[in-house]
Structure formats: C-alpha cells, structure tokens
C-alpha cells in the first residue's frame, strides 16, 4: 500500500527522500509500474516537477531526460526533431500500447524491464550511459541491469545518453504483431567496426550476446546465448535457432 506521496520541487529534495531507509521510498515516474497491485513501496516521490524531460544532441550523443515519455520520444523521432538511431523508434512502438507510452518514462521503463522488453533490448545494444545522482555518476546500462535494486537504491537517474551515429537494427518474433516478443534481437554497428548484439524475449532482463569487431561470430554468439533459454513460452532449441536467424538478418540489413 502506498502510504505517503511527495512531489518535490528540487532534485535535492527528491534525493533526500529517496535516501531514507524507512519507510521504503521509490521514485514515481510514469506510474505504470509502482501503481500496480503488489508493489511494496510505502512512499512515492513524484518526479514530474524536476525538469527531467529535456533532450539535446551533443556531438555524437543524444542526451535524453529520464522523464521523457516513450510516446514523446517516438513523436520527436517521427517529426525529425530528434534523430533516434535506426530501429529504435520501432522498439519504442513495440514496447507498449499508445496509452501506456503516454505515461511510461524512459528511465522508468529501463529500470522496470524484464527480459521481454523490446526497448531495453535495443538500448542495451546501443550501450547507453546513465547519469545518476548523487555524484553525477556515469554508468552503463549493462552494468546496472543485473543489480538494479541494489545499484539504484537511493539514487536518481537524470539522463540516458545514447550514440546517434550508430546503426541499429531490431527484429522480433511474437505470437501476434501486438504481443511481446518470444525472441527479439537488436544489433548495433559503430563507424569504427564495433558490433554489439542484444537478445530479448526471455528471463528477467535482456542480455548482451556479442560485443566485438568480428561480425562473423554474431550468429553463433546469439545461438549460444539462448541455448538454455526455455520457458513456458518457447523451448530453448527454438529460441536458439530464431536468435541466430534474427541476428544474422539484422546484421545483413546494416
């Protein structure tokens, strides 16, 4: 049950509230997760007055405010105002319905994501940097995802930075076009030849299957990463085969 609600006007106020050990205090972004039944939060800190919904391009990086909604990002991309790389708009669209995209924030989606999140899979391939307060600390999404609860306790994500000069392809297989993926693959290619492959559709978070400069190993890496990825949605052999096919398909498009 949510017993306390705060709407601070400054980041310092928000950080002071989030640093408390008791009661359990969580940030409230879009509310698509913490308002669900069963959430253990006893106090919520509403972030909407903190000005965390800005965006800018700085060199080859896009600096995206943590509170930008998924639909706002998609709209900015469609208008040409914000040049999101490759298939990232497609992953945004696949992440949630229009109504949920209107509320869900970028950082909140990444923090709450399970393994079947299209957006988090695509972002993981892009190797984004999260800026955390206090300390203005820069951490990669890949380092945060496995230990989100412990790593982000008392912290506030203020910005997500992604490269704009990277090519990105996203492919998925699902029971229907509107369903969450059984397998999804995102492949990012940097101008210098770096290639990264992220897999989604299984487990508690997407996983990075490949990060190197030898694209010939992409298909095998994707198959191996999902060789044990069986659950009630699909068998491991099926996921392994599809992951390899989709990874190679993404790479060929780039």
């Amino acid at each position: 049950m949510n017993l306390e609600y705060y709407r601070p006007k400054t980041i310092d106020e928000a950080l002071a509230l989030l640093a408390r050990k008791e009661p359990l205090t969580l940030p409230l972004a879009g509310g698509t997760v913490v308002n669900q039944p069963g959430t253990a939060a006893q106090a919520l800190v509403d972030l909407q007055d903190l000005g965390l919904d800005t965006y800018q391009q700085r060199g080859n990086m896009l600096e995206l405010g943590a509170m930008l909604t998924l639909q706002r990002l998609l709209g900015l991309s469609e208008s040409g105002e914000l040049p999101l790389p490759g298939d990232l708009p497609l992953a945004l669209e696949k992440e949630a319905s229009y109504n949920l995209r209107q509320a869900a924030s970028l950082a909140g989606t990444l923090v709450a994501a399970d393994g079947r999140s299209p957006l988090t899979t695509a972002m993981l391939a892009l190797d984004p940097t999260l800026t955390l307060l206090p300390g203005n600390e820069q951490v990669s999404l890949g380092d945060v995802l496995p230990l989100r609860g412990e790593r982000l306790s008392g912290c506030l994500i203020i910005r997500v930075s992604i490269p704009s000069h990277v090519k990105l392809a996203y492919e998925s297989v699902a029971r229907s076009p509107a369903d969450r993926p059984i397998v999804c693959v995102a492949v990012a290619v940097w101008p210098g030849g770096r290639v990264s492959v992220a897999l989604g559709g299984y487990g508690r978070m997407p996983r990075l299957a490949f990060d190197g400069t030898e694209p010939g190993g992409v298909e095998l890496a994707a198959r191996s990463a999902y060789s044990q990825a069986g659950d009630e949605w699909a068998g491991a052999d099926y996921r392994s085969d599809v992951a390899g096919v989709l990874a190679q398909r993404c790479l060929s498009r780039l």
Side-chain angles (χ1 to χ4, degrees), residues 87 168-174 183-187 189 197 215 218-219 222-223 238 241-254:
D87 283 346
L168 177 73
Y170 173 87
E171 296 276 352
S172 64
V173 170
V183 181
C184 62
V185 177
V187 176
V189 177
V197 180
V218 162
E219 182 176 357
R223 290 181 183 274
Y238 174 80
D241 288 345
V242 172
V245 170
L246 296 184
Q248 191 58 45
R249 186 183 298 171
C250 285
L251 190 61
S252 68
R253 288 173 48 206
L254 300 176

Side-chain angles (χ1 to χ4, degrees), residues 114-179:
D114 62 13
R116 302 183 73 193
S117 167
L119 176 60
T120 308
T121 302
M123 293 290 280
L124 185 60
L126 289 169
D127 192 19
T129 298
L130 311 182
T131 301
L132 308 181
L133 294 179
N136 209 39
E137 187 178 2
Q138 313 287 311
V139 296
S140 71
L141 176 63
D143 288 339
V144 167
L145 281 177
L147 300 169
R148 282 167 282 183
E150 301 89 337
R151 185 65 184 81
L152 297 177
S153 178
C155 295
L156 182 62
I157 301 173
I158 62 168
R159 185 166 52 250
V160 179
S161 301
I162 62 173
S164 62
H165 63 307
V166 172
K167 297 179 180 179
L168 177 73
Y170 173 87
E171 296 276 352
S172 64
V173 170
R175 295 180 302 181
S176 71
D179 199 8

